[in-house]
Amino acid sequence: MKIVCYGVRPIEEPYFEKLNKYDFDLKLVTEFLTDDNVDEAEGMDAVLIRGNCAASAKNLKIFAEDYGIKYVFTRSVGYNHIDLKAAKELGIQIARVPNYSPYAVAELAMTLGMQMFRHTNIATIDSAAGNFTVTPDLFSKEIHSSTVGIIGAGKIGTAEAKLYDGMGTKVLASDSHPSKHAAEYVEFKSLDEVLAISDIVSIHIPYFPGENENFVDAEFLKKMKKSAVLVNTARGEIADTKAIMEAVKNGEIAGYAGDVVIDEKDIMGHKFDSVDDIPNAEVRELAKLYPKVILTPHMGSFTEPALEDMISISFENFHETFTNGTNKNVLEYQV
């Protein structure tokens, strides 16, 4: 079976080859799927994409009607980059990777949180400029005697809670459907209580289009401690970028760290000459608040264990479908 895989970084290519135990005929494309490179799928039997690939109705129609492709899978947990309604109408089967190493994102979230908490975001800028003085901005609490709030105690949120718990930190969480192991590491509180108490607030909720856009809004931010920092490694759409900018500027929170932004397909994976060239005006202005704002290029899942999970599970999805017509990770469009 011939599978075209979009968004494969050169460093990832050996893993695709090593984990290809079913001997699929792989075509590895570095770029994300866009309107301009949809023709890379011509002659293929199936497509494997990732987050920020444009699996739009237009491109899915080309896959199905022009190339006869009926299988478009994603090697991501999220699937808001796929038009499920169009896929169903076109008879295209969609499948995802339901999970991968939760520590990949959890460790990055903790790293970003600690960087803001201990002010290394400021200190490294100063030292790079030759300033080795210990300024008042570097004064900090200690994490073992502080409180971390986890919003969304699923597998990733629980993994981060476990990491903080290992350092003696008090960990609170808000979640109506937590991981079964979360209670071992967190104390559950209402959202308002978590925000009022926590020194670091870390977001791990899924994004549901049309339901929880701007979950982190001005009201949410006003409930946080002014000395607290916010970390978002979930999805850019769940946070109001403008509200975060204003909160940081006005001292309503101490800082913000994000591995995700809005309009990611136009930003992530691109190299701009300067921050002024970022196409989204709000993201551009948010990035200019560095070092009180830290943005990373959606690198949370960019670890060896996570990558191997994403590729292996994707290949299993294809094998099950090619053998039995379907697989356990198929996504269905819900009206």
Side-chain angles (χ1 to χ4, degrees):
M1 301 298 292
K2 297 179 180 179
I3 305 172
V4 57
C5 308
Y6 286 93
V8 180
R9 302 178 181 95
I11 197 174
E12 297 175 332
E13 292 178 2
Y15 292 90
F16 274 83
E17 300 299 341
K18 179 182 73 171
L19 298 170
N20 187 17
K21 67 179 183 180
Y22 297 113
D23 293 323
F24 298 129
D25 185 352
L26 302 177
K27 180 179 182 180
L28 306 181
V29 179
T30 303
E31 295 77 20
F32 292 130
L33 168 65
T34 67
D35 293 350
D36 297 326
N37 64 6
V38 66
D39 60 348
E40 294 281 4
E42 187 172 4
M44 299 289 110
D45 300 301
V47 176
L48 180 62
I49 58 175
R50 55 181 298 177
N52 294 325
C53 282
S56 60
K58 175 184 176 181
N59 289 337
L60 291 175
K61 185 176 182 180
I62 294 173
F63 287 155
E65 297 184 357
D66 293 357
Y67 305 149
I69 294 172
K70 295 299 180 182
Y71 311 110
V72 179
F73 295 175
T74 183
R75 60 181 172 111
S76 59
V77 176
Y79 50 89
N80 55 291
H81 54 296
I82 305 171
D83 190 326
L84 293 180
K85 182 174 184 291
K88 182 175 183 178
E89 292 171 351
L90 292 163
I92 293 177
Q93 184 182 109
I94 305 291
R96 66 166 179 160
V97 172
N99 55 69
Y100 50 79
S101 171
Y103 286 100
V105 176
E107 288 180 359
L108 179 64
M110 181 181 180
T111 299
L112 293 173
M114 287 300 300
Q115 193 172 355
M116 304 292 286
F117 180 81
R118 284 306 307 264
H119 309 306
T120 57
N121 55 320
I122 298 172
T124 52
I125 289 293
D126 288 348
S127 61
N131 180 5
F132 287 86
T133 61
V134 180
T135 64
D137 288 340
L138 305 183
F139 191 60
S140 174
K141 295 182 178 182
E142 295 178 1
I143 196 65
H144 70 92
S145 55
S146 298
T147 302
V148 170
I150 304 292
I151 313 302
K155 291 183 179 180
I156 296 174
T158 298
E160 187 183 16
K162 183 178 180 180
L163 294 172
Y164 276 116
D165 180 72
M167 295 196 293
T169 308
K170 181 178 181 180
V171 186
L172 306 178
S174 170
D175 194 328
S176 56
H177 302 286
S179 162
K180 62 181 180 180
H181 299 298
E184 297 176 31
Y185 309 106
V186 308
E187 178 183 349
F188 286 99
K189 298 277 189 181
S190 69
L191 176 61
D192 286 0
E193 289 176 301
V194 173
L195 297 180
I197 299 170
S198 300
D199 299 293
I200 299 173
V201 175
S202 190
I203 310 293
H204 293 293
I205 63 173
Y207 168 49
F208 298 110
E211 296 182 24
N212 64 346
E213 283 88 355
N214 296 335
F215 170 80
V216 177
D217 57 9
E219 183 180 353
F220 179 108
L221 296 163
K222 289 181 187 298
K223 293 175 181 177
M224 291 176 57
K225 296 164 65 173
K226 290 187 176 182
S227 59
V229 296
L230 177 65
V231 180
N232 180 15
T233 53
R235 284 290 183 271
E237 292 85 354
I238 65 173
D240 185 331
T241 306
K242 186 175 181 180
I244 291 171
M245 276 192 294
E246 293 303 315
V248 173
K249 287 179 181 178
N250 297 332
E252 293 175 6
I253 61 173
Y256 174 75
D259 188 44
V260 290
V261 296
I262 55 175
D263 288 347
E264 282 205 2
K265 63 181 176 58
D266 297 323
I267 298 172
M268 298 307 188
H270 298 272
K271 184 176 181 179
F272 304 104
D273 291 335
S274 79
V275 69
D276 291 317
D277 295 326
I278 295 174
N280 184 285
E282 290 185 356
V283 177
R284 183 166 64 242
E285 294 308 308
L286 185 67
K288 289 182 178 180
L289 295 177
Y290 177 79
K292 286 194 173 183
V293 168
I294 298 175
L295 298 178
T296 50
H298 206 148
M299 57 186 275
S301 62
F302 194 46
T303 68
E304 186 173 67
L307 177 66
E308 290 184 338
D309 286 346
M310 287 186 281
I311 296 172
S312 294
I313 295 172
S314 294
F315 286 168
E316 290 298 333
N317 286 343
F318 280 121
H319 177 68
E320 287 182 31
T321 284
F322 293 155
T323 303
N324 304 315
T326 189
N327 68 78
K328 60 181 175 293
N329 296 316
V330 165
L331 292 167
E332 296 289 348
Y333 172 69
Q334 302 295 329
V335 180

